[in-house]
Amino acid sequence: MTRVMIVGAGGVGNVVAHKCAARAEFTAILLASRSVDKCDKIAARINSSKVTTAALDADTVANTVELIKKFKPDLLINVALPYQDLVLMDACLETGIHYLDTANYEPIDVAKFEYSWQWAYQERFKAAGLTAILGCGFDPGVTGVFSAYALKHYFDEIHYLDIIDCNDGNHGKAFATNFNPEINIREITQVGRYFENGEWVEVPALSIHRPIPYPEIGDRESYLLYHEELESLVKNIPTLKRARFWMTFSENYITHLRVLENIGMTRIDPIEYQGQQIVPLQFLKALLPEPASLATNYTGQTSIGCHITGIKDGVEKKYYVYNNCQHAAAYEEVGAQGISYTTGVPAVVGALMIVNGNWKKPGVFNVEECDPDPFMELLGSMGLPWHEVIDGVSPFEH
């Protein structure tokens, strides 16, 4: 029986708390956030004696250590801001508990996310006999598990990987982001990157795009982005000749984003305004709708998957594995929109992989370094069924 501490009470934290509360493996759940009122609202909706709440400023190690020592969890699930990853990993090491997150660390003053800072914790977690699982959302997360599953069961070598992510939903707002606006906009506006022939290729942000077909949805314009799982997948699947990530955006979204960028509202460097230092992107975040608030009237669905080409027994094979998630179904179950749901559910599945011993090993790991089979077996029953197309038609050439 496991005590779990969840840090973060946004849309994803809501899903993680609901899903943990529904599992017998978790006997006590602490939901902690800077805004304890958000935690209390989530706990009230769950209405379980297993769930308690607490205020936490997770920017400092001492605050988190104090709360961990008080609650005594076995595992910390980090669904807070990626700026706080290293602080929370330090707190886990100091108190001797396992760690899991859904997004890799990035410094607050540079729009750059990479795993090097967290990979540097490998020896410390190993020496402490603790497990740290990195990037266990959907992308990153399930996309890495999908890739590992494909390599284990269908390929001797994977050569080409295209991860595709479509949100064909409608929340009725003129402009909004489906997860933390600050993190979302930093991610989208940075230089695009993809891996090809042993090198990283950089292109201007959103400069490469094309229509890509998605199951039950059809063709949607999809933009090449740099996404963090590419870094770990290239490292852990060394036979890759090319790896890319694509995400859909509506013309309306792109237009709003470009205007905001052109007038400086996406800047992350401080400016002086009426005698105070403010960061334009943080001010914009305060004006935009809370991602969790979008869930009520959200229609449509998401579709996220991996198109993979490689070799099996000397013969080229193609494989496509994906999940579609209905926004309305996610809201009916846990009061969340589909983006939060597809991130939160895998985090709980990953936590269960640590709890039941499948992924419990000393050190710091990306999900594709772990056995994909038990994760894939549990993912569907937890609410994210997946589908395979073997040797079908791929929209990608090589």
Side-chain angles (χ1 to χ4, degrees), residues 68-81:
I68 289 172
K69 287 182 175 178
K70 181 179 179 182
F71 181 66
K72 296 181 173 56
D74 304 291
L75 165 70
L76 185 148
I77 300 176
N78 170 17
V79 287
L81 294 174

Side-chain angles (χ1 to χ4, degrees), residues 17-298:
H18 272 87
K19 287 294 191 177
C20 283
R23 299 291 304 196
E25 293 92 336
F26 299 111
T27 54
I29 301 159
L30 175 64
L31 180 59
S33 169
R34 193 188 307 268
S35 303
V36 71
D37 59 319
K38 290 185 178 180
C39 300
D40 291 339
K41 288 177 182 176
I42 292 170
R45 287 197 297 269
I46 297 172
N47 192 26
S48 168
S49 60
K50 294 196 291 186
V51 181
T52 55
T53 64
L56 173 64
D57 177 358
D59 288 336
T60 61
V61 175
N63 291 341
T64 308
V65 166
E66 181 181 359
L67 188 56
I68 289 172
K69 287 182 175 178
K70 181 179 179 182
F71 181 66
K72 296 181 173 56
D74 304 291
L75 165 70
L76 185 148
I77 300 176
N78 170 17
V79 287
L81 294 174
Y83 315 139
Q84 298 163 328
D85 287 4
L86 304 187
V87 168
L88 295 175
M89 291 179 79
D90 284 334
C92 287
L93 282 170
E94 187 170 331
T95 54
I97 66 172
H98 304 295
Y99 171 88
L100 179 143
D101 66 34
T102 62
N104 68 357
Y105 173 73
E106 62 178 286
I108 194 167
D109 56 346
V110 182
K112 179 182 181 181
F113 47 84
E114 61 182 51
Y115 278 115
S116 60
W117 291 287
Q118 291 179 277
W119 285 343
Y121 280 70
Q122 169 69 20
E123 293 306 317
R124 279 178 281 173
F125 269 82
K126 192 173 182 179
L130 297 173
T131 301
I133 300 295
L134 307 181
C136 196
F138 206 109
D139 46 350
V142 175
T143 52
V145 177
F146 280 170
S147 300
Y149 186 81
L151 182 59
K152 181 175 180 178
H153 294 282
Y154 296 107
F155 295 96
D156 297 321
E157 294 183 359
I158 290 177
H159 292 168
Y160 301 96
L161 169 65
D162 283 279
I163 299 169
I164 61 172
D165 182 328
C166 173
N167 176 24
D168 191 52
N170 182 9
H171 47 56
K173 305 292 184 183
F175 181 79
T177 62
N178 293 293
F179 59 96
N180 185 287
E182 187 177 352
I183 304 304
N184 182 236
I185 292 173
R186 282 166 62 119
E187 174 185 294
I188 293 166
T189 55
Q190 72 169 289
V191 171
R193 294 175 76 206
Y194 63 96
F195 182 82
E196 189 166 31
N197 297 325
E199 297 181 337
W200 288 102
V201 181
E202 293 193 349
V203 298
L206 306 176
S207 62
I208 296 177
H209 53 96
R210 54 173 290 183
I212 294 173
Y214 295 86
E216 301 177 26
I217 294 171
D219 286 2
R220 293 293 183 270
E221 198 68 15
S222 305
Y223 292 76
L224 186 145
L225 305 179
Y226 177 65
H227 225 240
E228 59 218 71
E229 66 260 50
L230 296 180
E231 180 185 15
S232 67
L233 285 166
V234 165
K235 172 176 175 279
N236 294 317
I237 306 179
T239 59
L240 276 167
K241 297 179 180 180
R242 189 184 67 214
R244 301 180 295 193
F245 182 95
W246 306 83
M247 183 175 281
T248 62
F249 300 102
S250 68
E251 187 176 340
N252 176 68
Y253 186 96
I254 295 294
T255 300
H256 275 81
L257 185 64
R258 293 210 188 281
V259 171
L260 292 168
E261 207 172 359
N262 289 340
I263 63 176
M265 286 302 296
T266 63
R267 288 171 53 177
I268 64 172
D269 56 310
I271 64 167
E272 186 169 316
Y273 175 72
Q274 295 186 345
Q276 293 185 323
Q277 292 286 307
I278 67 166
V279 175
L281 182 54
Q282 292 178 354
F283 178 73
L284 175 62
K285 173 186 174 181
L287 296 175
L288 293 175
E290 280 270 353
S293 72
L294 304 175
T296 307
N297 298 309
Y298 220 134

